[in-house]
C-alpha cells in the first residue's frame, strides 16, 4: 500500500519509505492511501499486529517479514484486567515492556523494521529523538543490539526528573544521550533543523522515531484490536476506550483499529491542563499554544502533532466530534484520583493513567454504563516523585525498571544549537 502526505497528496511513498522518512517532504504526516478492513478475530497481541499491519505493508520489501518482526518486537504481554465484576470497566496495562510505558510497543516495532532497511549508501541509520519523557528510553532500549542503528537522544538539562534522567542515559554504546542547555522546545527545534539541513541529510541517514512516524502507530493499533475482540467475544458488545493523551499518537492508533473493523465503541481523549484538544472539540477553533507543566508530564503538549492526522481524515468538526470526545483534568484531580483508586481498586496509577481514570469517573451514568477500558500508559514506578508523594508511601518497582536503575550512565552536555548536535553526530 502507498502512504500519502496529510498536506500534498502528491507526496506518496511505500510502507518502508514512510517508516524511513518519518515526515513527508512537505512537512505533512503520512497516512495510508486506503482504509483496509480485516475480519476481527481473537488472536494474541503479536498475531493481531501481524494481521492488521499486513494490508498496510502489502507489496513492500518488509511484507514477508512482518509476522516475524511483530513476534520479536511484541514479546511482552498487554493484559486487560477487569476492575468491575460486571465487565463494564477494566484497565489495559501497557507497561510490561522493557521501559514500562506503552511507547515500547511502537519503538520496538519501528526499530526492528529500520534495522531491516539498510541505507542504500551503506551508512548507519541515525535516529534522532527529542524527548522529555518516555519516548527516549523506549527508543534507546529498542535500538540496543541492532548494529545498523544509532540513537541520539536530546533532552532538556535539569528539566527531567532524576528517575527519567537515569532512564535516558543508561544505554549502550550505540545510544548517545545529550543534556541540552535549553528547553524541550529547543531539543525539538534542533532535531527539525537537522532534518532540514541538506548537508546533514547528505552525510547521515537520519530517521525520526517520534509519533509522527506511522511505524509507531500501526503496531499500537494491535492492543486496541485484540482487547476489543476478546471483550466482544465474551460480552457481545463494543469496548470503549479512555486514552490519556498528549500528541494523540496513541489515540490515533485506536482510530486505526476501529476503522479496520474492530468492535470499538467510543474513543475518549483524556487530557491534563493542556486543553488545546478539548477546546478545539468544544469551539471548533484550532488554537495551538505553548504547553503548561503538569504532573502528567508526558502529556504536556500544547500543539499535538497527530491532530494533523485526525483533521485529514475528519476534515469537518462535526464528523470529528462524532468520532472522538475529550475532557481535561488538573493536577489536584490527578493526585486525588491516584489516592482514591489505590483504595477503591488496589491499583496504583501513574499520573497519566490517573488523568484517564478521573475522566472516566466523571462520565454521566448512561455513558459510564457502556463497557469502558482505561488505558494505563505507564507503570507508576516510572514517576515515583509524583506517585509516592500523592500516596504518602513507597511503591514497588518492577524488575524491568529496577534493572535500569542499576546501570551505569553516560551523558554529554551540549548547547542548544544545530552546530552542537553536528559535533555529536560527527563523533
Ligand atoms: C507519551 C505518553 C502519553 C501520551 O501519548 P500520546 O501518544 O503522545 O498522546 C501518555 N502517557 C504516557 C505515560 C506517555 O509516555
Amino acid at each position: 500500500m502507498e502512504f500519502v502526505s496529510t498536506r500534498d497528496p502528491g507526496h506518496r511513498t511505500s510502507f518502508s519509505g514512510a517508516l524511513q522518512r518519518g515526515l513527508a517532504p512537505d512537512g505533512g504526516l503520512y497516512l495510508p492511501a486506503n482504509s483496509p478492513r480485516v475480519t476481527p478475530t481473537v488472536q494474541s497481541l503479536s498475531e493481531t499486529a501481524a494481521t492488521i499491519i499486513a494490508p498496510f505493508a502489502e507489496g513492500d520489501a518488509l511484507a514477508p517479514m512482518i509476522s516475524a518482526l511483530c513476534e520479536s518486537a511484541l514479546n511482552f504481554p498487554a493484559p486487560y484486567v477487569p476492575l468491575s465484576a460486571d465487565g463494564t470497566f477494566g484497565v489495559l496495562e501497557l507497561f510490561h515492556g522493557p521501559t514500562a510505558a506503552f511507547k515500547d510497543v511502537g519503538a520496538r516495532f519501528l526499530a526492528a523494521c529500520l534495522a531491516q532497511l539498510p541505507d542504500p549508501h551503506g551508512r548507519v541509520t541515525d535516529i534522532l529523538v527529542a524527548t522529555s519523557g518516555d519516548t527516549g528510553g523506549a527508543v534507546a532500549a529498542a535500538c540496543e543490539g541492532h548494529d545498523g542503528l544509532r540513537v541520539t537522544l536530546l533532552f532538556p538539562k535539569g528539566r527531567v526528573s532524576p528517575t527519567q534522567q537515569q532512564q535516558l542515559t543508561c544505554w549502550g554504546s550505540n545510544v548517545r544521550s545529550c543534556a541540552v542547555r535549553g528547553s524541550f522546545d529547543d531539543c525539538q527545534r534542533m532535531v527539525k533543523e537537522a532534518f532540514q539541513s541538506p548537508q546533514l541529510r547528505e552525510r547521515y541517514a537520519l530517521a525520526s522515531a517520534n509519533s509522527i512516524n506511522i511505524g509507531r502507530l500501526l503496531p499500537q493499533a494491535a492492543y486496541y484490536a485484540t482487547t476489543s475482540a476478546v471483550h466482544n467475544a465474551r460480552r457481545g458488545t463494543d469496548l470503549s476506550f479512555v486514552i490519556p493523551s498528549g500528541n494523540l499518537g496513541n489515540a490515533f492508533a485506536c482510530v486505526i483499529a476501529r476503522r479496520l473493523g474492530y468492535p470499538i465503541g467510543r474513543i475518549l481523549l483524556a487530557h491534563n491542563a493542556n486543553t488545546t484538544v478539548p477546546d478545539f472539540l468544544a469551539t471548533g477553533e484550532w488554537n495551538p499554544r505553548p504547553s503548561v507543566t503538569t504532573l502528567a508530564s508526558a502529556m504536556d503538549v500544547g500543539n499535538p502533532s497527530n491532530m494533523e492526522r485526525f483533521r485529514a481524515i475528519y476534515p469537518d468538526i462535526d464528523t470529528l466530534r462524532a468520532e472522538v470526545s475529550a475532557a481535561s483534568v488538573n493536577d489536584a484531580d490527578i493526585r486525588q484520583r491516584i489516592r482514591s483508586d489505590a483504595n477503591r481498586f488496589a491499583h496504583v496509577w501513574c499520573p497519566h493513567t490517573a488523568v484517564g481514570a478521573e475522566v472516566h469517573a466523571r462520565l454521566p451514568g448512561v455513558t459510564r454504563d457502556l463497557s469502558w477500558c482505561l488505558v494505563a500508559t505507564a507503570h507508576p514506578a516510572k514517576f515515583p516523585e509524583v506517585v509516592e508523594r500523592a500516596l504518602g508511601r513507597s511503591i514497588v518497582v518492577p524488575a524491568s525498571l529496577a534493572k535500569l536503575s542499576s546501570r551505569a550512565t553516560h551523558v554529554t552536555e551540549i548547547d542548544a544549537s544545530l552546530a552542537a548536535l553536528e559535533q555529536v553526530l560527527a563523533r
Side-chain angles (χ1 to χ4, degrees):
M1 185 181 295
E2 280 194 308
F3 285 74
V4 296
S5 169
T6 45
R7 296 188 189 172
D8 175 358
H11 284 294
R12 304 172 87 84
T13 187
S14 63
F15 177 79
S16 300
L19 269 53
Q20 283 182 299
R21 287 180 184 194
L23 209 61
D26 61 350
L29 276 57
Y30 284 115
L31 278 172
N34 315 310
S35 292
R37 305 273 300 179
V38 303
T39 307
T41 48
V42 173
Q43 292 176 296
S44 72
L45 179 65
S46 62
E47 287 165 352
T48 306
T51 299
I52 68 183
I53 295 173
F56 295 106
E58 201 179 271
D60 192 78
L62 288 176
M65 286 175 254
I66 289 297
S67 221
L69 290 168
C70 289
E71 206 178 308
S72 70
L74 307 185
N75 63 348
F76 49 88
Y80 177 72
V81 181
L83 294 172
S84 75
D86 64 0
T88 58
F89 191 34
V91 58
L92 174 60
E93 294 184 350
L94 299 179
F95 49 70
H96 296 283
T99 69
F102 79 85
K103 304 251 172 32
D104 285 323
V105 171
R108 285 177 61 80
F109 177 78
L110 179 60
C113 289
L114 292 177
Q116 294 299 325
L117 295 171
D119 178 65
H121 309 289
R123 300 170 299 185
V124 171
T125 297
D126 267 300
I127 302 177
L128 304 185
V129 195
T131 183
S132 59
D134 300 320
T135 302
V139 172
C143 293
E144 262 197 337
H146 287 301
D147 290 339
L149 304 180
R150 192 161 54 189
V151 183
T152 304
L153 297 183
L154 305 181
F155 66 91
K157 176 178 181 258
R159 302 197 197 185
V160 301
S161 74
T163 313
Q164 280 176 322
Q165 169 124 3
Q166 170 73 24
Q167 290 165 12
L168 290 171
T169 56
C170 69
W171 305 102
S173 54
N174 69 337
V175 177
R176 296 177 295 199
S177 302
C178 303
V180 174
R181 296 184 199 102
S183 65
F184 173 64
D185 292 335
D186 290 321
C187 299
Q188 253 183 333
R189 173 184 48 80
M190 290 159 71
V191 169
K192 261 196 207 132
E193 285 173 4
F195 278 100
Q196 284 162 356
S197 153
Q199 295 91 316
L200 284 185
R201 298 217 65 139
E202 199 187 306
R203 211 168 315 143
Y204 303 104
L206 299 180
S208 155
N210 285 96
S211 68
I212 52 159
N213 197 313
I214 192 78
R216 272 188 42 192
L217 308 191
L218 293 172
Q220 287 177 220
Y223 45 73
Y224 296 109
T226 186
T227 307
S228 64
V230 169
H231 176 87
N232 186 265
R234 275 197 203 136
R235 305 257 169 195
T237 57
D238 286 354
L239 186 60
S240 295
F241 288 91
V242 51
I243 307 175
S245 290
N247 266 320
L248 299 177
N250 206 11
F252 196 79
C254 191
V255 168
I256 294 174
R258 190 168 62 185
R259 284 161 73 89
L260 281 161
Y262 283 88
I264 293 169
R266 308 206 183 186
I267 299 176
L268 175 52
L269 314 175
H271 289 267
N272 59 24
N274 291 278
T275 58
T276 307
V277 173
D279 292 349
F280 176 51
L281 287 171
T283 67
E285 274 168 48
W286 180 241
N287 254 326
R289 59 200 85 150
S291 64
V292 298
T293 303
T294 77
L295 296 177
S297 54
M299 296 160 31
D300 290 349
V301 181
N303 185 8
S305 49
N306 279 290
M307 185 48 95
E308 184 157 340
R309 288 197 165 104
F310 278 92
R311 296 177 77 186
I313 61 171
Y314 306 123
D316 168 63
I317 184 74
D318 287 319
T319 323
L320 180 62
R321 285 176 179 142
E323 298 295 330
V324 297
S325 47
S328 78
V329 305
N330 64 30
D331 277 357
D333 300 323
I334 293 174
R335 279 201 204 90
Q336 183 55 36
R337 182 52 52 188
I338 291 174
R339 277 194 290 270
S340 63
D341 280 2
N343 293 327
R344 188 159 66 123
F345 299 122
H347 281 254
V348 176
W349 309 136
C350 86
H352 313 82
T353 307
V355 171
E358 175 67 17
V359 166
H360 173 265
R362 288 185 191 176
L363 285 173
V366 279
T367 314
R368 205 166 52 222
D369 290 345
L370 301 170
S371 294
W372 282 97
C373 175
L374 168 64
V375 177
T377 50
H379 193 283
K382 287 201 92 167
F383 308 92
E385 293 88 352
V386 177
V387 176
E388 295 189 342
R389 220 181 122 215
L391 285 179
R393 62 175 165 88
S394 59
I395 50 177
V396 180
V397 179
S400 55
L401 289 181
K403 230 169 31 195
L404 300 186
S405 62
S406 60
R407 283 185 169 207
T409 60
H410 55 99
V411 60
T412 312
E413 201 179 307
I414 65 170
D415 279 335
S417 70
L418 183 61
L421 174 56
E422 268 188 82
Q423 280 180 6
V424 173
L425 285 171
R427 280 212 310 265

